[in-house]
Amino acid sequence: MSGYEFIDGKGTFVLEQPENTSYLYFPIAGEEGLKGAVTPNLGGDLKTDQNHFVLQPVSAEELHNNKSTRNFWLCMEQGGSWSVTGASAQAQAEKFTAMQEESSLKAGLMWQELRRSSQKHQLEAKVTSFIPAKGQNVEVMQVEITNAGRMAATFTPVAAIPLYGRSADNIRDHRHVTSLLHRITTTDYGVEVTPTLSFDERGHQKNDTTYYVCGITGKGEAPESFYPVVEDFIGEGGSFERPEAVAKQLPGVEKGTTAEGLEALGGIRFSKTTLQPEEKVSYTVLIGLTRDRTEIEKTVEAFQTAEQTAKILEETKQYWLSSNNVSYHTGDEIFDNFMYWVNFQPMLRRIYGCSFLPHHDYGKGGRGWRDLWQDCLALLVMEPDNVREMLLNNFAGVRMDGSNATIIGNKPGEFIADRNNITRVWMDHGFWPFLTTKLYIDQTGDWQILLEKQNYFKDKQVCRGTGTDEKWKPEDGTLQRDSENRVAEGTILEHLLLQNLTAFYETGEHNHFRLRGADWNDALDMAEEQGESVAFTAAYSGNLKALAELLRYLDKNGVENITLAEEITLLLQQEPSIYNASKEKNRILQRYMASCIHEISGRKTEISCRKAADTLDTMAEWIWEHIRKTEWVGDNNGRHWFNSYYDNHGNKVEGIQDGSVRMMLTGQVFAIMSGTATEEQTAEITKAADAYLYKKEAGGYRLNTDFGELKTDLGRMFGFAYGQKENGAVFSHMTVMYGNALYQRGFVREGYKALHTLYEQSADFERSRIYPGIPEYFNAKGRGMYHYLTGAASWLMLTVVRQMFGIRGDLGSLLLAPKLLASQFDAMGRAEITLTFAGRTFHIVYENLSGKDYGEYHIDQVLLNGAAQETLIKREHILSLPEEKVHEIKVILK
């Protein structure tokens, strides 16, 4: 089968016979809380959160074995029936035969349109699914039927939407018992079910939510009757793919009918309709939930006619298009549209969290600590207005020991105490906040954020997760206090220093930062005692170096001294001679942590920015030299790279082990990105990665070679089949970061190879089997897995904008430094991007008329609205430009 085809420059695509591809699902959601997934046969689910699923929760495997889908039947007067969604026993039987119905899917941001035709009945159907962006918290399923034959067609339409109406926990925990709570009512327009109680992890609570399905004709007419109970609709021995009520065209019940203690169905029977040739008729089906039943009537009124529904659909389309405000034009139109979807993926993460799509059948919708920071990366380019407040709120999750809260609440800045005895500590968590804060400062010039104050998080976990504060009680709250019982506050800069300095002193036997519960790779989770992460030791060195640069910038701007909690100065006052002594560093960390187990003194100390910067520089450079001396490994053919980890027996993980080569990508990424790897070492790493990790047909660079053992002294990843997830799959996030690191270091062609191979795999539907966008990883067969909700999207977008196109903030000013290859320009020698910066919209055009490649061209001229500029456009000038206008920057390359 052929793949999808883009039909405009805004990511809209068409796919023929979509139901012939397994595991496809499409996200539809609004800003009011409702979020769903729809398949080519209108399977999937719908919910607001873990405890409120309108439709039955589904995971990936249930996409092909679950019959509980959104369905719409036509009961033909001459006999027989037709499912316009293709979810019927007959359609299943005809699949993969010449009798299979023709179908196509068209989709854009947050809307899906399914078309299907029936040769037997000479009818065509179009089903459009969406959730309004604002206003109504409801899924809309608009069905349009056209008579494509030469004879009149008479039929009775029946919508059949199974109403699950409870918590996801009840799938295997009292599924039947919780149906006994159902109180079902038919109304003028639909079926409502209001359970009396909810049974889930919160206990037995009185329910206040009504789940419903309503139906209206395109002219605003109410249904004729209803099928409110599943077992009555499907009949004894029937199923949703062959329901007795449809097969025998049984009558429904009237409005005002009630039922109790049964599985509910949004079954709606419309009046019989006759269509003349080429005539059309439409129906709107509404699926939702509410705590105020009067809202249902208002929602029905909002969709009373087909014209009203079409208007809300168009408003929804425009809302999401306007939110996706970065667009591209290169020599590859497919890439431009692909990137439009990549832009959109961080917005999906904001709505769905890390749960609530079929592959993401874990968690309860919340985001993790890492997500808080990485999701801000793309927002800094697309929706920067609220990022400052988000960053400040996020820092409230940092503990005085440098670790952080891991249970994140629903409100901004809300972090919840972990009631377990010992929490899990991810050693990379202190790395990400600075990365995001530095990008924010570069994009905005707002270095003053470093001097803003924020409190610290407090619960019973202390000493970086190795102990508990027996004095702390839940009623004490989650704010760190000092010896005078005052809420302890520190600047954002203090928070950042604390996170990076405590990590520096928590080292293992080989003097690299301890792995603890895991790092970025959550599946390296079995080396708590002796494990070390060389990869993130290098990563933190980059932070220390950049923090030193920021401190010097503060000094140049009149901030000569910074104020820190007195306890923290211990971590900045040690002689470099102790850096070589891991045990001594551990003792210093223990001294520091002992000073803040329950409270801190509240005393403050000033320290010179220059002196602190010198100390951080020394720390970073010590790490570089230490890793270069101790972790440079190789094979027997002259290839070299960095070891990334030590296992729980204290053994080096990479190099030649038992006669085979072991290599991991993560250690190479952060060695390159941080500056730990010299230019010569970076070149050698790329050769080794090409030899041992690169596999084009798998999507590019694998996360690791095949270790060939169940390595229980390092992590659960080695229990996965090789080529799956963290064990040797092409993991998009780390591959994109590898490309980003190479671009940063000037290895542009090597970086392009990493990103382009990933893009080609994603966009090749025959291999990836996913809609446009980038998945979490590609499995051993090359199929994209865990689509949409991946932090890789933010990193890919940033890399394309800031590195490929070379458009990035530099302490608030706009720097132009393109790294585009000749093949990325169009036939006219142009590459273009539209984005916002400093509240202004810019259309930036790179003109490469001579067709030169990167390294052969230079910037000859920069024109802003026709006036000459330098490659660094000062923020003051940008802010003087009118906000309502699109400003053109033309960059002439020669």
Side-chain angles (χ1 to χ4, degrees):
M1 63 175 294
S2 60
Y4 55 76
E5 179 183 353
F6 289 113
I7 60 174
D8 60 18
K10 299 295 184 181
T12 307
F13 65 94
V14 174
L15 176 64
E16 301 298 325
Q17 301 297 152
E19 72 273 19
N20 285 358
T21 297
S22 301
Y23 303 111
L24 287 180
Y25 52 84
F26 190 80
I28 57 170
E31 298 283 20
E32 305 294 336
L34 194 62
K35 40 194 166 276
V38 289
T39 72
N41 291 118
L42 268 63
D45 59 25
L46 184 68
K47 61 272 160 179
T48 54
D49 55 44
Q50 174 76 2
N51 297 313
H52 297 90
F53 273 76
V54 185
L55 307 182
Q56 180 179 316
V58 297
S59 58
E61 288 304 313
E62 284 152 342
L63 296 179
H64 62 77
N65 67 26
N66 186 0
K67 300 177 182 180
S68 184
T69 65
R70 310 161 178 89
N71 212 333
F72 196 93
W73 297 87
L74 301 184
C75 301
M76 308 306 297
E77 186 178 51
Q78 72 273 25
S81 59
W82 181 44
S83 166
V84 307
T85 69
S88 68
Q90 182 176 350
Q92 291 297 307
E94 293 173 351
K95 209 168 188 181
F96 311 127
T97 74
M99 297 176 67
Q100 182 174 349
E101 295 172 346
E102 292 183 1
S103 69
S104 68
L105 178 143
K106 181 165 71 172
L109 304 185
M110 295 293 205
W111 60 271
Q112 171 183 293
E113 178 185 292
L114 175 70
R115 290 179 180 267
R116 181 174 296 277
S117 60
S118 169
Q119 283 294 110
K120 178 180 179 180
H121 301 294
Q122 294 293 290
L123 293 172
E124 294 177 352
K126 179 177 74 171
V127 183
T128 305
S129 299
F130 70 99
I131 294 173
K134 292 284 186 76
Q136 301 84 14
N137 202 29
V138 67
E139 179 184 324
V140 182
M141 176 178 162
Q142 188 177 41
V143 182
E144 183 181 274
I145 309 297
T146 303
N147 184 350
R150 298 180 179 179
M151 305 287 289
T154 301
F155 52 80
T156 301
V158 174
I161 320 290
L163 278 167
Y164 175 74
R166 46 201 187 269
S167 169
D169 297 344
N170 300 132
I171 279 291
R172 68 166 305 277
D173 185 4
H174 295 97
R175 172 69 191 259
H176 171 255
V177 170
T178 50
S179 73
L180 305 181
L181 306 171
H182 284 183
R183 301 296 184 264
I184 307 167
T185 306
T186 60
T187 65
D188 288 345
Y189 287 92
V191 178
E192 300 176 7
V193 54
T194 308
T196 54
L197 300 169
S198 62
F199 290 179
D200 51 51
E201 64 177 12
R202 301 169 301 170
H204 299 170
Q205 297 187 2
K206 186 174 180 179
N207 172 65
D208 59 1
T209 302
T210 295
Y211 305 85
Y212 66 90
V213 172
C214 291
I216 320 128
T217 71
K219 296 180 180 179
E221 299 160 337
E224 176 186 274
S225 59
F226 307 94
Y227 304 100
V229 176
V230 168
E231 59 189 57
D232 294 341
F233 178 71
I234 65 174
E236 202 70 39
S239 73
F240 283 123
E241 289 182 345
R242 182 61 174 168
E244 183 182 24
V246 170
K248 295 182 178 180
Q249 301 198 16
L250 301 177
V253 301
E254 297 178 345
K255 65 179 181 181
T257 301
T258 61
E260 296 184 353
L262 298 165
E263 291 285 357
L265 177 75
I268 296 174
R269 181 183 178 94
F270 294 96
S271 299
K272 184 184 295 185
T273 300
T274 297
L275 289 183
Q276 299 301 321
E278 299 185 9
E279 193 176 2
K280 299 178 181 180
V281 65
S282 69
Y283 304 89
T284 301
V285 179
L286 306 173
I287 314 166
L289 77 172
T290 181
R291 290 181 177 175
D292 180 0
R293 294 176 68 177
T294 64
E295 288 295 322
I296 300 174
E297 186 177 339
K298 295 175 184 176
T299 301
V300 171
E301 290 176 1
F303 295 91
Q304 196 70 29
T305 66
E307 290 75 21
Q308 287 173 271
T309 302
K311 182 175 182 291
I312 295 174
L313 171 60
E314 185 58 30
E315 289 171 353
T316 297
K317 290 181 179 181
Q318 291 305 314
Y319 176 86
W320 294 115
L321 288 173
S322 64
S323 298
N324 198 355
N325 56 10
V326 179
S327 60
Y328 313 83
H329 172 78
T330 66
D332 184 347
E333 291 184 9
I334 297 175
F335 175 78
D336 302 338
N337 277 282
F338 164 80
M339 283 304 303
Y340 200 73
W341 277 99
V342 171
N343 294 353
F344 192 60
Q345 288 181 239
M347 298 186 203
L348 293 175
R349 278 257 290 219
R350 173 174 62 80
I351 293 169
Y352 285 84
C354 295
S355 305
F356 299 141
L357 285 178
H359 272 118
H360 300 79
D361 54 355
Y362 51 83
K364 294 177 172 62
R367 292 184 295 168
W369 178 257
R370 223 176 276 126
D371 307 324
L372 291 181
W373 304 95
Q374 296 205 77
D375 289 353
C376 285
L377 296 175
L379 295 178
L380 280 167
V381 177
M382 300 184 68
E383 301 176 281
D385 292 349
N386 299 320
V387 172
R388 188 182 208 270
E389 184 180 358
M390 290 169 63
L391 292 178
L392 291 173
N393 287 332
N394 291 349
F395 278 106
V398 178
R399 294 190 183 95
M400 280 302 300
D401 64 6
S403 68
N404 55 268
T406 54
I407 303 177
I408 297 159
N410 295 321
K411 300 174 183 176
E414 181 185 22
F415 298 92
I416 299 168
D418 192 332
R419 304 300 172 86
N420 298 325
N421 288 328
I422 298 294
T423 190
R424 182 179 175 188
V425 172
W426 284 263
M427 62 81 63
D428 68 306
H429 276 188
F431 167 75
W432 305 103
F434 176 72
L435 200 73
T436 304
T437 305
K438 178 63 166 62
L439 176 62
Y440 168 78
I441 293 171
D442 277 337
Q443 289 292 106
T444 64
D446 178 21
W447 56 266
Q448 293 88 347
I449 192 175
L450 295 171
L451 306 179
E452 293 280 357
K453 292 184 177 179
Q454 180 58 280
N455 52 258
Y456 288 94
F457 179 74
K458 174 64 182 170
D459 60 3
K460 68 177 179 179
Q461 311 299 341
V462 294
C463 299
R464 296 178 69 79
T466 62
T468 58
D469 177 6
E470 299 302 331
K471 294 182 181 179
W472 182 86
K473 302 180 293 297
E475 54 267 29
D476 293 339
T478 57
L479 297 177
Q480 176 68 57
R481 294 185 177 272
D482 65 18
S483 58
E484 301 294 327
N485 202 35
R486 296 170 300 197
V487 172
E489 288 185 329
T491 62
I492 297 304
L493 179 58
E494 180 182 277
H495 284 67
L496 290 167
L497 288 169
L498 185 56
Q499 289 179 300
N500 287 273
L501 289 170
T502 51
F504 180 81
Y505 285 93
E506 190 174 27
T507 51
E509 176 187 352
H510 304 89
N511 217 347
H512 303 292
F513 297 5
R514 288 183 59 199
L515 180 57
R516 299 298 307 275
D519 63 9
W520 165 88
N521 188 340
D522 289 337
L524 293 173
D525 56 353
M526 300 174 75
E528 171 75 27
E529 294 80 17
Q530 299 296 320
E532 297 173 57
S533 175
V534 182
F536 272 90
T537 304
Y540 277 101
S541 75
N543 276 7
L544 294 169
K545 199 72 175 171
L547 270 166
E549 292 174 5
L550 271 182
L551 282 165
R552 292 192 177 95
Y553 183 78
L554 290 181
D555 183 68
K556 288 179 182 178
N557 283 272
V559 183
E560 296 180 2
N561 299 300
I562 54 173
T563 302
L564 300 176
E566 182 181 75
E567 292 83 352
I568 297 173
T569 58
L570 173 70
L571 305 177
L572 282 168
Q573 293 173 343
Q574 303 306 312
E575 291 297 321
S577 58
I578 69 122
Y579 296 168
N580 290 314
S582 183
K583 289 183 179 179
E584 181 60 27
K585 286 157 74 175
N586 290 171
R587 280 194 285 270
I588 290 166
L589 180 61
Q590 292 300 322
R591 279 176 54 197
Y592 167 73
M593 293 191 302
S595 71
C596 57
I597 287 178
H598 182 66
E599 60 190 19
I600 61 172
S601 68
R603 295 187 293 271
K604 298 287 186 178
T605 301
E606 281 199 349
I607 186 169
S608 157
C609 283
R610 290 184 184 180
K611 184 178 179 181
D614 289 344
T615 300
L616 298 180
D617 265 340
T618 303
M619 288 177 167
E621 289 164 10
W622 178 86
I623 290 173
W624 290 356
E625 289 305 312
H626 180 59
I627 292 177
R628 288 168 186 168
K629 286 179 181 177
T630 62
E631 304 307 322
W632 191 238
V633 300
D635 62 11
N636 297 323
N637 298 309
R639 300 186 183 95
H640 293 87
W641 62 94
F642 283 108
N643 173 51
S644 302
Y645 296 97
Y646 283 84
D647 63 26
N648 214 31
H649 287 97
N651 295 321
K652 191 171 290 189
V653 169
E654 295 177 55
I656 301 292
Q657 302 277 345
D658 298 325
S660 64
V661 172
R662 293 184 176 183
M663 181 179 182
M664 303 181 83
L665 184 60
T666 311
Q668 319 321 313
V669 168
F670 291 109
I672 295 169
M673 186 178 287
S674 66
T676 302
T678 64
E679 188 167 342
E680 294 76 15
Q681 286 174 324
T682 300
E684 290 202 47
I685 287 169
T686 62
K687 293 173 185 176
D690 282 348
Y692 295 120
L693 299 177
Y694 184 76
K695 187 175 182 182
K696 181 177 174 60
E697 57 270 29
Y701 291 91
R702 293 180 182 270
L703 205 49
N704 55 276
T705 56
D706 188 356
F707 282 31
E709 67 167 308
L710 181 62
K711 197 166 175 55
T712 56
D713 59 356
L714 189 54
R716 72 176 187 270
M717 62 175 269
F718 297 100
F720 301 149
Y722 184 69
Q724 304 287 348
K725 226 169 187 307
E726 288 93 348
N727 188 18
V730 174
F731 220 86
S732 298
H733 198 166
M734 197 49 64
T735 301
V736 171
M737 293 186 76
Y738 179 56
N740 181 284
L742 290 168
Y743 268 98
Q744 287 191 48
R745 297 293 299 275
F747 287 75
V748 171
R749 287 167 185 81
E750 294 84 350
Y752 176 80
K753 176 181 178 181
L755 302 185
H756 191 70
T757 310
L758 200 64
Y759 148 64
E760 285 187 317
Q761 182 72 18
S762 299
D764 185 346
F765 186 78
E766 290 291 329
R767 291 191 291 165
S768 69
R769 300 292 176 175
I770 56 172
Y771 293 140
I774 187 170
E776 181 182 276
Y777 71 95
F778 296 98
N779 69 13
K781 293 183 177 180
R783 182 186 287 270
M785 304 293 289
Y786 294 74
H787 197 13
Y788 296 116
L789 308 182
T790 169
S794 291
W795 273 92
L796 180 54
M797 180 188 175
L798 280 181
T799 306
V800 170
V801 173
R802 292 172 55 82
Q803 297 298 327
M804 277 187 183
F805 278 87
I807 300 164
R808 57 184 182 269
D810 183 0
L811 296 171
S813 297
L814 182 62
L815 179 66
L816 301 167
K819 298 175 184 176
L820 294 160
L821 300 181
S823 61
Q824 294 181 273
F825 294 88
D826 68 13
M828 303 297 290
R830 292 163 67 95
E832 306 173 23
I833 185 170
T834 301
L835 46 65
T836 60
F837 186 87
R840 275 61 177 176
T841 301
F842 292 97
H843 177 221
I844 301 170
V845 180
Y846 288 110
E847 212 170 72
N848 182 16
L849 300 182
S850 57
K852 296 293 185 181
D853 208 351
Y854 174 76
E856 299 173 346
Y857 61 70
H858 66 275
I859 294 179
D860 182 64
Q861 197 173 10
V862 177
L863 301 172
L864 170 56
N865 296 330
Q869 292 286 326
E870 298 296 322
T871 55
L872 183 69
I873 304 174
K874 293 294 186 180
R875 191 172 189 86
E876 296 77 20
H877 183 58
I878 292 172
L879 294 177
S880 71
L881 300 173
E883 294 184 41
E884 65 279 359
K885 180 182 176 183
V886 176
H887 303 279
E888 180 171 282
I889 299 176
K890 180 179 283 190
V891 183
I892 299 172
L893 307 175
K894 287 192 176 180

